Amino acid sequence: MALPGPELKEFLDIKAATYNTTDFIATDPIQVPHAFSRKEDIEIAGFLAATIAWGNRKSIISNSRKIMELMGNAPYEFVMAHTAEQLEKLTTFVHRTFNGSDLQGFVRSLRHLYTAHGGPEAVFARHAREGSLQEAIHHFKKHFFEIPHLQRTEKHVSDPLKGSSAKRINMYLRWMVRNDNTGVDFGIWKKLSPAQLSCPLDVHSGNVARKLGLLHRKQNDAKALAELDTSLRKLDPDDPVKYDFALFGLGAFEKF
């Protein structure tokens, strides 16, 4: 089912508006950073929740909240001023293949980003391109792991330049950069533009995009993301990622 141009845009605009409401928060990991008001707390809570956002959604949300509890529900303060004893308490954490050692490494790397690079927003902004943040994700990963770390932990940050669609980081960037005026996405990163964002490409959004003729490549990889980006930018060059709500909603909630 591939709708013609104007009809497809109208259909997806309606679906995006249907799902881009505060009702969406209750079913999504974005609720975890929504527990905070300070910019740094939001961006750390968001990054950690997005990092473990694969598998069962209830489990993702539950385990993201568990991380926040282990950090005393003050993620920025914990990242910047944790003691060795506090860091040791993180060893109990596990979500699928992301374990306590990985979480400890992430905390150290986040502190490094704030102390050496001015925080994650500054890193992404420094390496952003006019119409894409995919290269910036690559450089973010390099900076994130430029301090001593476990090799195993690297797999938990994707690299688009190595062929990944980087679904979770693109979702995180949507949360931070896009201001949807409905109270779902935060829009707290002002140095970047929604026009630079890429759709978080997962099973739901990929399958729906193929049914609608927005995507033809079979794998959900970096090449597929580039193809989908091109299609969505034709529909709305200023805010292409609003269609993530439409594609995901159609797949996850309407079984389209």
Side-chain angles (χ1 to χ4, degrees):
M1 174 194 173
L3 300 173
E7 289 178 25
L8 177 59
K9 176 172 167 53
E10 184 182 4
F11 173 69
L12 289 175
D13 282 344
I14 290 168
K15 291 298 179 182
T18 299
Y19 291 108
N20 191 177
T21 69
T22 48
D23 290 344
F24 182 84
I25 296 171
T27 65
D28 196 77
I30 199 172
Q31 67 183 259
V32 177
H34 267 291
F36 302 96
S37 56
R38 183 181 186 173
K39 180 196 175 192
E40 292 84 0
D41 285 332
I42 292 168
E43 60 193 10
I44 291 171
F47 180 64
L48 294 172
T51 294
I52 66 166
W54 84 100
N56 177 281
R57 284 160 76 75
K58 285 183 181 174
S59 169
I60 293 163
I61 293 164
S62 169
N63 284 333
S64 296
R65 286 192 174 141
K66 204 170 287 177
I67 293 176
M68 294 303 105
E69 287 167 15
L70 287 166
M71 300 173 92
N73 287 305
Y76 181 62
E77 185 181 325
F78 186 93
V79 162
M80 301 307 290
H82 60 266
T83 63
E85 186 182 358
Q86 288 171 322
L87 202 62
E88 187 61 28
K89 288 179 181 174
L90 303 184
T91 55
T92 59
F93 181 79
V94 62
H95 176 83
R96 297 174 77 98
T97 63
F98 187 89
N99 66 22
S101 299
D102 298 317
L103 181 55
Q104 288 174 322
F106 265 56
V107 168
R108 293 189 192 99
S109 288
L110 282 165
R111 181 170 62 185
H112 171 70
L113 286 185
Y114 284 103
T115 55
H117 297 289
E121 180 186 8
V123 174
F124 280 108
R126 198 175 307 131
H127 297 287
R129 296 285 173 265
E130 187 178 346
S132 175
L133 294 177
Q134 299 312 290
E135 193 175 320
I137 295 173
H138 166 78
H139 288 287
F140 171 84
K141 179 170 184 173
K142 279 173 63 176
H143 289 311
F144 195 74
F145 289 118
E146 67 193 2
I147 60 169
H149 62 277
L150 295 176
Q151 195 70 36
R152 57 158 283 129
T153 304
E154 288 187 17
K155 70 173 180 276
H156 294 295
V157 181
S158 300
D159 186 347
L161 299 194
K162 291 188 175 173
S164 173
S165 69
K167 182 209 97 168
R168 286 167 284 163
I169 298 190
N170 281 311
M171 180 177 72
Y172 173 62
L173 289 168
R174 193 204 85 204
W175 294 354
M176 296 299 110
V177 175
R178 189 174 172 269
N179 184 354
D180 56 22
N181 298 311
T182 66
V184 182
D185 292 332
F186 292 92
I188 55 174
W189 285 7
K190 306 301 183 186
K191 295 173 184 172
L192 297 164
S193 159
Q196 296 170 297
L197 296 171
S198 291
C199 184
L201 179 56
D202 66 4
V203 172
H204 297 295
S205 56
N207 288 346
V208 173
R210 289 181 187 95
K211 286 178 184 174
L212 293 173
L214 295 166
L215 176 61
H216 297 96
R217 185 171 172 81
K218 290 184 170 64
Q219 302 97 310
N220 286 339
D221 58 9
K223 288 181 180 177
L225 185 69
E227 184 187 343
L228 182 58
D229 276 352
T230 300
S231 296
L232 297 182
R233 278 162 170 64
K234 286 176 184 171
L235 297 175
D236 189 337
D238 297 324
D239 188 17
V241 180
K242 74 181 180 189
Y243 297 115
D244 179 34
F245 286 96
L247 298 176
F248 181 82
L250 283 165
F253 302 125
E254 296 187 36
K255 311 302 178 196
F256 180 82

